[in-house]
């Protein structure tokens, strides 16, 4: 009987969209998944109903979850008070809580020996497990050390650290005392680090002697030293020993972390903070050269990270959640740290790379550690596909239950490989669309929704609380299916960023003024014949290189710092592995004719590496006598994008350009590059 029903279900799905054996694994929508179910009223019997409720009654929906899933020191009075056009959001006003208590203490009290973190170091098999009780001790000691260093509520602590239990404990330690962390990806250069520390006015930096990635050592402390030559606000630096190498220690500023911690007790009272007090800043790229310090709240952010992790991945305590992102990005914040720990789960900290010591690393780690949920980036999958299936199939992946993709559109080939080869057609693939600013997953299929079909290459369905709309260039809502538009979100949700640090005007202008009354994501999207969403790409001058967000203006600014460069225009172009590559068009000053082009290219690549990071280095640098500009002097990047994508036959009418002839020159140079 059961067998027949399952077969019918499978046939039904095959007809609808896509056959997935994983349909069998989907559990029905129950009160175990949603313990709050009875509080939503009598009419809710499916994910569809619950989603509808969440966007028609957002205040009720999120207040119920906030009370049932978070531990409060003081209950809140007002669930939600938001004004989209002013970029003002307040959730759970009047409530007080502490994020480290919610992520650590409550689980340590319940089950002290439960594993919170599994640190898979760069060398395969070099693994460290940290229980909730141990994590609680680490957090308290680091919090006491930060207090000794004068860190107070609201102060910013900069982290420049490898993925490690110390990094996680430091994030939670700042939360414990009501301070704010700003994690800076340890692949950023000293200049990029200094810019971010200065903007955040960080008081303390926590770093390591060196990082280790793919068998190579990266001198973090040295980079911090160089950065701090241009930063006045930082008074103390704590240095974690990762490799034990000798590093320069500046008197009265630098302390070895373990020396500092040896003088600290493991008891540190948690400071209850207001729901809306900031938990962290995270810098990300925008369409100008200046990175934005995206500021997230305490209660709303934590709740949103927890709820989205649980329901996008159908996560249960006791499972090992393997998000391989770096903690320097929002994915690391929400799905390595706050989502998993807020849910009392067990989280993987992956220090290595997909290809070290060989391209089987992810799957060897899956087998050895019995990872249940694997969450990674399409760019890594595209890279690994090239090495063939043997690196996958020689390892046992039967522990895997759900597979997640994040950071950029996943092409059908990569999706199919993820689903068929990695997941043996057994595991749902969830393509999760979201942004640093949304705090957590915004559009993604929820695998626990019974019978809901999966469509390769599409994040498909809005998460709870998410009400996506497509708008045309006149700002009107595009109705119906099989349509395109600017992707906006119409209903406020608790995880939305609260401001850009020190620049609320930029926050309002970037996200809330383009389409008044809506949050504008910066992405374009297509709604297909089934009502599923597919992301078509950024609509602004932001590109996505190996899953890293990069403003083309940032690269342009750095290139023009070279004394021989007069002007630069940077665009993205489709790249088979990286998603997008960086393509730079550069106009040189006249005097530069004596210098070889190759030498100049080398110098320009180096500048980008030292001023930003390795991932931002242009793949192509094309020297040109001019750029396509409108008569008012605006560079027509649309034309440059087409040429870079080998689509110069699709340029359309260029007769309105100030100097149309320059286009043919650029095309010829591109073809002969
Ligand atoms: C931008 C946000 C999401 C956390 C990591 C990146 C692109 C992200 C997807 C996806 C298509 C995606 C968008 C978005 N993006 N996920 N599943 N499908 N595009 O966060 O650095 O803030 O970048 O990444 O363009 O706007 P981020």
């Amino acid at each position: 009987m059961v067998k027949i029903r399952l077969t019918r279900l499978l046939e039904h799905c095959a007809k609808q969209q896509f056959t997935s054996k994983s349909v069998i694994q989907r559990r029905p929508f129950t009160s175990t998944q949603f313990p709050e179910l009875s509080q939503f009223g009598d009419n809710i019997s499916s994910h569809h109903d619950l989603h509808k409720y969440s966007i028609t009654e957002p205040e009720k929906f999120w207040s119920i979850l906030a009370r049932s899933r978070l531990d409060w020191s003081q209950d809140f009075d007002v669930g939600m008070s938001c004004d989209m056009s002013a970029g003002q959001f307040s959730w759970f006003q009047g409530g007080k809580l502490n994020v480290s208590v919610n992520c650590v203490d409550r689980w340590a009290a319940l089950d002290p020996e439960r594993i919170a973190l599994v640190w898979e170091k760069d060398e395969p098999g070099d693994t460290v497990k940290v229980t909730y009780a141990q994590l609680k001790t680490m957090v308290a000691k680091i919090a006491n050390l930060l207090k000794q260093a004068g860190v107070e509520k609201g102060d910013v602590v900069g982290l420049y650290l490898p993925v490690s239990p110390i990094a996680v404990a430091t994030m939670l330690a700042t939360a414990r005392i009501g301070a704010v962390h700003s994690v800076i990806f340890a692949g950023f250069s000293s200049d990029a680090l200094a810019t971010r520390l200065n903007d955040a006015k960080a008081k303390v930096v926590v770093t390591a002697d060196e990082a280790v990635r793919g068998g190579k050592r990266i001198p973090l402390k040295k980079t911090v030293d160089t950065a701090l030559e241009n930063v006045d606000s930082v008074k103390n630096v704590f240095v974690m020993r990762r490799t034990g190498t000798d590093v320069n220690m500046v008197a009265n500023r630098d302390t070895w972390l373990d020396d500092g911690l040896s003088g600290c007790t493991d008891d540190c009272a948690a400071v209850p903070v207001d729901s809306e007090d900031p938990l962290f800043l995270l810098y990300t790229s925008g369409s100008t050269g200046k990175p934005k310090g995206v500021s997230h709240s305490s209660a709303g952010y934590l709740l949103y990270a927890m709820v989205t992790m649980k329901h996008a991945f159908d996560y249960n305590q006791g499972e090992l959640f393997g998000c391989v992102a770096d903690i320097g990005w929002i994915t690391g914040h929400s799905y390595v740290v706050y989502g998993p720990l807020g849910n009392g789960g067990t989280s993987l900290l992956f220090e290595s790379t997909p290809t070290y010591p060989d391209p089987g690393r992810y799957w060897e780690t899956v087998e050895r550690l019995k990872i249940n949920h694997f969450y990674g980036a399409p760019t890594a999958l595209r890279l690994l596909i090239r090495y063939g299936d043997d690196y996958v199939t020689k390892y046992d992946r039967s522990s895997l239950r759900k597979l997640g993709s994040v950071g950029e559109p996943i092409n059908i080939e990569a999706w199919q490989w993820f689903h068929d080869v990695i997941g043996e057609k057994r595991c749902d693939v969830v393509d999760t669309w979201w942004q640093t600013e949304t705090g957590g997953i915004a559009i993604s299929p929820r695998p626990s929704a019974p019978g809901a079909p999966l469509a390769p290459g599409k994040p498909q369905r809005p998460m709870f609380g998410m009400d996506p709309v497509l708008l045309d260039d006149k700002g009107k809502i595009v109705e119906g299916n099989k349509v395109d538009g600017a992707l906006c979100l119409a209903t406020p949700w608790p995880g939305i960023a609260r401001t850009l640090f020190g620049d609320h005007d930029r926050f309002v202008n970037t996200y809330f003024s383009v389409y008044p009354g809506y949050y504008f994501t910066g992405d374009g999207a297509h709604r297909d014949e089934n009502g599923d969403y597919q992301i078509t790409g950024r609509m602004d001058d932001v590109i996505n290189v190996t899953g890293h967000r990069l403003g083309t203006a940032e690269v342009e600014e750095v290139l023009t710092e070279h004394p021989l460069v007069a002007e630069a225009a940077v665009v993205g172009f489709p790249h088979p592995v990286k998603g997008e590559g960086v393509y730079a068009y550069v106009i040189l000053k006249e005097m530069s004719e004596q210098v070889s082009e190759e030498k100049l290219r080398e110098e320009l690549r180096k500048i980008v590496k030292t001023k930003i990071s390795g991932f931002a280095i242009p793949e192509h640098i094309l020297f040109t006598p001019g750029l396509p500009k409108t008569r008012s002097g605006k560079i027509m990047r649309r034309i440059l994008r087409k040429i870079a994508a080998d689509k110069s036959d699709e340029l359309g009418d260029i007769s309105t350009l100030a100097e149309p002839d320059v286009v043919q020159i650029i095309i010829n140079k591109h073809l002969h590059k």
Side-chain angles (χ1 to χ4, degrees):
M1 167 73 182
V2 172
K3 216 171 162 187
I4 295 168
R5 285 215 337 242
L6 280 175
T7 319
R8 282 215 192 110
L9 184 62
L10 283 171
E11 276 169 10
H12 174 70
C13 287
K15 252 184 247 147
Q16 273 217 321
Q17 290 198 3
F18 186 73
T19 318
S20 170
K21 280 193 207 159
S22 53
V23 172
I24 299 164
Q25 282 204 333
R26 291 197 187 112
R27 284 172 295 125
F29 184 60
T30 62
S31 56
T32 359
Q33 271 175 309
F34 254 103
E36 306 84 358
L37 200 54
S38 62
Q39 297 180 58
F40 297 127
D42 297 333
N43 299 330
I44 306 231
S45 58
S46 68
H47 268 244
H48 181 78
D49 297 342
L50 193 52
H51 176 258
K52 207 160 154 205
Y53 180 88
S54 74
I55 57 172
T56 46
E57 299 282 0
E59 181 166 8
K60 280 191 199 155
F61 176 82
W62 290 111
S63 295
I64 290 169
L65 292 188
R67 289 200 170 96
S68 90
R69 298 196 187 188
L70 296 175
D71 269 11
W72 294 88
S73 321
Q74 183 181 302
D75 190 18
F76 53 90
D77 319 303
V78 187
M80 147 185 149
S81 136
C82 301
D83 177 351
M84 273 267 197
S85 30
Q88 298 287 357
F89 303 94
S90 170
W91 287 89
F92 319 126
Q93 214 172 311
K96 283 186 184 290
L97 84 179
N98 184 278
V99 169
S100 79
V101 168
N102 275 277
C103 289
V104 187
D105 298 40
R106 59 171 166 166
W107 311 119
L110 193 76
D111 187 1
E113 295 312 307
R114 184 184 298 175
I115 305 295
L117 304 172
V118 178
W119 185 24
E120 171 71 6
K121 296 207 226 170
D122 193 51
E123 272 319 305
D126 190 358
T127 308
V128 177
K129 292 186 176 169
V130 180
T131 66
Y132 272 96
Q134 289 167 330
L135 183 58
K136 188 178 167 205
T137 305
M138 288 169 74
V139 170
K141 285 186 138 200
I142 298 173
N144 281 329
L145 185 63
L146 294 175
K147 276 205 284 196
Q148 275 177 22
V151 177
E152 293 175 1
K153 186 164 184 286
D155 286 344
V156 176
V157 175
L159 278 73
Y160 190 68
L161 280 168
V163 175
S164 55
I166 288 285
V168 176
T170 305
M171 292 163 80
L172 294 163
T174 61
R176 194 159 193 90
I177 58 177
V180 177
H181 60 72
S182 174
V183 184
I184 295 129
F185 172 55
F188 274 122
S189 68
S190 57
D191 276 44
L193 175 60
T195 307
R196 287 158 179 77
L197 292 172
N198 273 327
D199 189 79
K201 301 181 188 66
K203 248 185 165 172
V204 167
V205 169
V206 183
T207 187
D209 46 9
E210 293 175 304
V212 193
R213 281 200 87 223
K216 292 197 196 78
R217 292 173 169 217
I218 304 149
L220 299 190
K221 175 61 166 64
K222 215 167 133 196
T223 308
V224 169
D225 287 345
T226 313
L228 292 190
E229 285 169 15
N230 299 310
V231 180
D232 291 331
S233 58
V234 173
K235 302 296 175 218
N236 286 280
V237 177
F238 295 107
V239 187
M240 159 188 154
R241 270 184 233 272
R242 174 61 186 86
T243 62
T245 191
D246 229 9
V247 295
N248 172 47
M249 296 293 273
V250 176
N252 300 323
R253 189 194 74 183
D254 302 350
T255 312
W256 286 105
L257 188 66
D258 36 11
D259 292 349
L261 292 178
S262 65
C264 293
T265 71
D266 54 10
D267 186 23
C268 175
V271 176
V273 302
D274 291 337
S275 297
E276 282 298 315
D277 278 341
L279 175 62
F280 65 86
L281 304 179
L282 183 59
Y283 283 85
T284 188
S285 297
S287 41
T288 73
K290 191 177 180 291
K292 318 186 256 199
V294 175
S295 175
H296 276 287
S297 70
S298 293
Y301 166 80
L302 176 63
L303 180 68
Y304 196 69
M306 283 167 52
V307 169
T308 50
M309 181 215 164
K310 174 148 179 59
H311 300 292
F313 290 92
D314 192 24
Y315 180 79
N316 298 302
Q317 287 179 359
E319 293 182 311
L320 177 54
F321 192 78
C323 171
V324 292
D326 194 282
I327 47 153
W329 310 110
I330 191 72
T331 312
H333 285 60
S334 301
Y335 301 108
V336 175
V337 184
Y338 292 108
L341 299 181
N343 283 319
T346 303
S347 185
L348 176 76
L349 304 176
F350 186 73
E351 191 187 40
S352 195
T353 74
T355 50
Y356 182 75
D358 66 43
R361 178 59 184 274
Y362 278 161
W363 326 117
E364 186 272 325
T365 310
V366 165
E367 172 181 290
R368 185 163 33 78
L369 299 177
K370 301 201 169 32
I371 293 171
N372 303 115
H373 303 255
F374 180 88
Y375 193 22
T379 182
L381 298 176
R382 287 192 296 264
L383 178 71
L384 295 179
I385 287 175
R386 304 186 153 205
Y387 293 96
D389 295 358
D390 288 353
Y391 280 112
V392 183
T393 51
K394 70 175 165 189
Y395 299 108
D396 176 8
R397 284 130 27 249
S398 57
S399 61
L400 287 174
R401 225 163 58 72
K402 303 289 169 200
L403 303 171
S405 165
V406 60
E408 46 171 332
I410 178 165
N411 49 310
I412 308 260
E413 187 199 1
W415 193 100
Q416 223 52 275
W417 191 71
F418 208 16
H419 181 267
D420 295 0
V421 180
I422 308 301
E424 303 172 286
K425 303 186 181 171
R426 218 175 10 85
C427 307
D428 290 311
V429 170
V430 288
D431 175 5
T432 63
W433 175 89
W434 57 295
Q435 310 179 296
T436 304
E437 296 87 342
T438 65
I441 296 166
I443 304 183
S444 165
R446 293 179 299 282
S448 52
L454 293 174
K458 297 175 188 177
Q460 297 184 275
R461 291 181 284 274
M463 274 309 296
F464 298 117
M466 283 294 168
D467 185 13
V469 289
L470 300 179
L471 297 182
D472 65 19
D473 32 359
K474 298 196 181 65
K476 276 186 50 193
I477 291 201
V478 187
E479 306 279 0
N481 288 343
K482 288 175 110 171
V483 288
D484 290 273
L487 178 63
C488 294
L489 301 168
T491 308
W493 65 99
I496 191 171
R498 298 304 196 260
T499 192
L500 295 178
F501 188 69
D503 200 349
H504 195 72
D505 284 349
R506 187 174 179 194
F507 184 63
V508 175
N509 291 335
T510 311
Y511 307 109
F512 305 101
S513 302
V514 189
Y515 299 101
Y518 300 95
Y519 166 81
F520 174 45
T521 65
D523 281 356
H526 173 74
R527 192 165 49 230
D528 72 9
E529 60 279 12
N530 299 308
D532 283 345
Y533 286 90
Q534 176 171 23
I535 308 302
T536 47
R538 298 287 309 193
M539 297 175 73
D540 51 12
D541 292 319
V542 171
I543 58 177
N544 199 321
V545 185
T546 55
H548 300 325
R549 179 160 154 183
L550 181 67
T552 52
E554 284 172 75
V555 185
E556 289 167 3
E557 235 171 59
V558 166
L559 290 173
T560 46
E561 281 179 32
H562 190 287
L564 296 183
V565 172
E567 197 173 0
V570 169
V571 296
F573 70 100
H575 188 284
V577 173
K578 297 177 175 183
E580 279 182 286
V582 181
Y583 198 124
Y585 298 86
V586 172
I587 304 181
L588 294 173
K589 292 178 184 162
E590 275 170 53
M591 64 196 223
S592 54
E593 270 164 23
Q594 301 87 342
V595 191
S596 89
E597 287 198 351
E598 217 20 70
K599 184 161 180 290
L600 265 178
R601 282 199 185 90
E602 208 36 62
E603 288 175 12
L604 292 175
R605 287 192 196 107
K606 202 164 152 215
I607 292 195
V608 174
K609 186 168 182 201
T610 50
K611 298 273 174 177
I612 308 175
S613 179
F615 71 82
I617 297 174
E619 198 96 0
H620 299 297
I621 299 176
L622 186 142
F623 296 111
T624 165
L627 289 166
K629 289 185 181 172
T630 59
R631 295 215 173 93
S632 61
K634 193 173 162 315
I635 299 174
M636 294 291 284
R637 286 190 179 70
R638 183 180 59 79
I639 292 175
L640 297 175
R641 274 195 287 268
K642 287 276 185 214
I643 297 174
D646 294 320
K647 289 183 177 164
S648 35
D649 50 331
E650 295 176 13
L651 291 184
D653 181 17
I654 55 167
S655 59
T656 57
L657 291 178
E659 291 171 78
D661 295 349
V662 81
V663 174
Q664 199 51 51
I665 299 176
I666 296 178
I667 293 174
N668 290 342
K669 284 206 145 207
H670 169 76
L671 293 175
H672 296 107
K673 73 175 186 300

